[in-house]
Amino acid sequence: MTTPVCPFVKAARPDDNGSAKKSTVGGSEATRKDSGDSATVSPKCPFGYDSNNFKLGPLSCMICQALLFDCTKCIPCSHLFCKVCISRFKDCPLCGADIEKLEADTNLQSMVDRFIEGHARIKRAHVGVNGEGEQVSNDDKKVIYEDVSLDRGAFLVQQAMRAFRAQNIESAKSRLIMCAEDIRDQLEKMGNTSELCSQLGAVLGMLGDCCRAMGDAAAAINYFEESVEFLTKLPADDLEITHTLSVSLNKIGDLKYYDGDLQASRSYYFRSLGVRRDVIKNHPGVASQILDVAVSLAKVADVDRTLGKEDVAVDGFQEGIKLLESLTLKSEEAGLEPRRLSVLAFLKSQLEEKQHEATASSVSS
């Protein structure tokens, strides 16, 4: 199960005018001066749900470490967990007491839901002070939090990623759906900005991963296809975006392959290969991108072989081998060596398999 990367957390986030703003914790004068039409607010959540300090708040499940989902109480010890998480245990993981039965705690779950709704930091109106010392609300003045990763979207994705890692897929899916709805609302107001399309494309890809983990291939394909739709609207010179796009295309290809639709599978694999070839034309020295091309060549060639196009398949396998054998990794890229060797071994095994078949055939004849 691949752990997704949060699409909201970046070292710097551009504003609407295209200039980069710093997102340092504790604030900076540059940030305050740049945001003349906004207010800067300390990035502290009273329950400890922030990006600087990993803390399990009072509304968290101690098993998946995400916010409670389908909050369930153990009887008789009364400790609380997500339903999916605690259903795997016979004894309470906190106190060790035998679990006689489980009961839903709808009151606490309602509190968690209200907390999530109230954690929409970026949507809060700015409350200022007028000339007479009275507090006034200005709905048009946007609140800029010094730690941009505390935006509602990042908060929801953070919780979804924790739940996903713990295999609480329903919880992860629920948070990601809320996040996608928020981004769609912003798209309606602001149009198809690069940042919003990138975020939505990534979140939809995560939803596809959730559906695939749940065995719902049709829903997974729908999410991946929608992810591709948004990511193709973005500039092709962003390596992170093109990687996410090519991965979504490959995941659709995988699902089509397992469903037996080989022609559709090859079509998606080939589109992914095209995206990756374009990347290495513009960034020829990036080892991770060359590895991606080799993986795509292997996928396309594997389908070609299954379709009976042996000569085309062999050409694809050989091209992938040539790419990886000529790839020299820098010291800072040493972490890619196991992946390079793994892909190279697979490609060579495919050629050796054919050679063994040919040898056996000539001997029998």
Side-chain angles (χ1 to χ4, degrees), residues 131-197:
E132 299 177 359
E134 299 176 341
Q135 285 192 344
V136 293
S137 177
N138 183 352
D139 292 336
D140 296 328
K141 194 169 186 181
K142 186 179 181 182
V143 178
I144 300 296
Y145 280 79
E146 292 165 352
D147 183 354
V148 294
S149 66
L150 284 178
D151 292 357
R152 175 179 167 89
F155 173 72
L156 290 169
V157 170
Q158 177 197 63
Q159 297 301 312
M161 290 169 70
R162 290 181 185 176
F164 190 86
R165 283 193 293 266
Q167 299 184 31
N168 190 347
I169 309 300
E170 284 285 0
S171 174
K173 183 180 177 183
S174 172
R175 309 309 182 210
L176 291 170
I177 287 174
M178 292 178 67
C179 185
E181 290 173 350
D182 280 359
I183 302 173
R184 292 184 199 278
D185 288 343
Q186 292 298 309
L187 282 169
E188 289 183 5
K189 297 174 184 176
M190 302 173 62
N192 291 334
T193 68
S194 293
E195 184 176 21
L196 289 175
C197 287

Side-chain angles (χ1 to χ4, degrees), residues 297-313:
L297 284 167
K299 286 180 175 289
V300 173
D302 184 53
V303 177
D304 281 335
R305 169 170 285 176
T306 307
L307 291 170
K309 302 176 182 179
E310 185 60 34
D311 291 342
V312 179

Side-chain angles (χ1 to χ4, degrees), residues 96 111 167 170 209 212 226 232 254 268 288 303 316 327 336:
M111 184 184 299
Q167 299 184 31
E170 284 285 0
D209 287 332
R212 186 168 65 165
E226 195 175 2
T232 51
D254 290 342
Y268 282 105
S288 61
V303 177
L327 178 60
L336 295 173

Side-chain angles (χ1 to χ4, degrees), residues 120-134:
R121 294 172 173 272
I122 207 66
K123 293 183 178 179
R124 292 180 185 167
H126 173 59
V127 178
V129 179
N130 63 14
E132 299 177 359
E134 299 176 341

Side-chain angles (χ1 to χ4, degrees), residues 42-172:
S42 177
K44 295 297 180 184
C45 170
F47 286 96
Y49 294 102
D50 60 62
S51 64
N52 302 312
N53 303 305
F54 178 80
K55 177 181 177 181
L56 293 181
L59 306 180
S60 299
C61 170
M62 297 300 290
I63 298 174
C64 70
Q65 302 185 345
L67 287 170
L68 289 162
F69 181 78
D70 271 353
C71 183
T72 300
K73 181 190 297 183
C74 294
I75 304 299
C77 67
S78 296
H79 285 128
L80 298 156
F81 307 93
C82 300
K83 182 178 180 180
V84 168
C85 295
I86 193 58
S87 296
R88 305 167 187 159
F89 292 83
K90 294 182 179 180
D91 302 327
C92 175
L94 282 181
C95 68
D98 291 341
I99 300 174
E100 296 179 4
K101 66 176 180 176
L102 300 173
E103 289 184 355
D105 191 328
T106 55
N107 290 333
L108 184 56
Q109 187 60 54
S110 177
M111 184 184 299
V112 173
D113 295 340
R114 290 198 303 272
F115 172 75
I116 293 174
E117 191 60 34
H119 211 281
R121 294 172 173 272
I122 207 66
K123 293 183 178 179
R124 292 180 185 167
H126 173 59
V127 178
V129 179
N130 63 14
E132 299 177 359
E134 299 176 341
Q135 285 192 344
V136 293
S137 177
N138 183 352
D139 292 336
D140 296 328
K141 194 169 186 181
K142 186 179 181 182
V143 178
I144 300 296
Y145 280 79
E146 292 165 352
D147 183 354
V148 294
S149 66
L150 284 178
D151 292 357
R152 175 179 167 89
F155 173 72
L156 290 169
V157 170
Q158 177 197 63
Q159 297 301 312
M161 290 169 70
R162 290 181 185 176
F164 190 86
R165 283 193 293 266
Q167 299 184 31
N168 190 347
I169 309 300
E170 284 285 0
S171 174

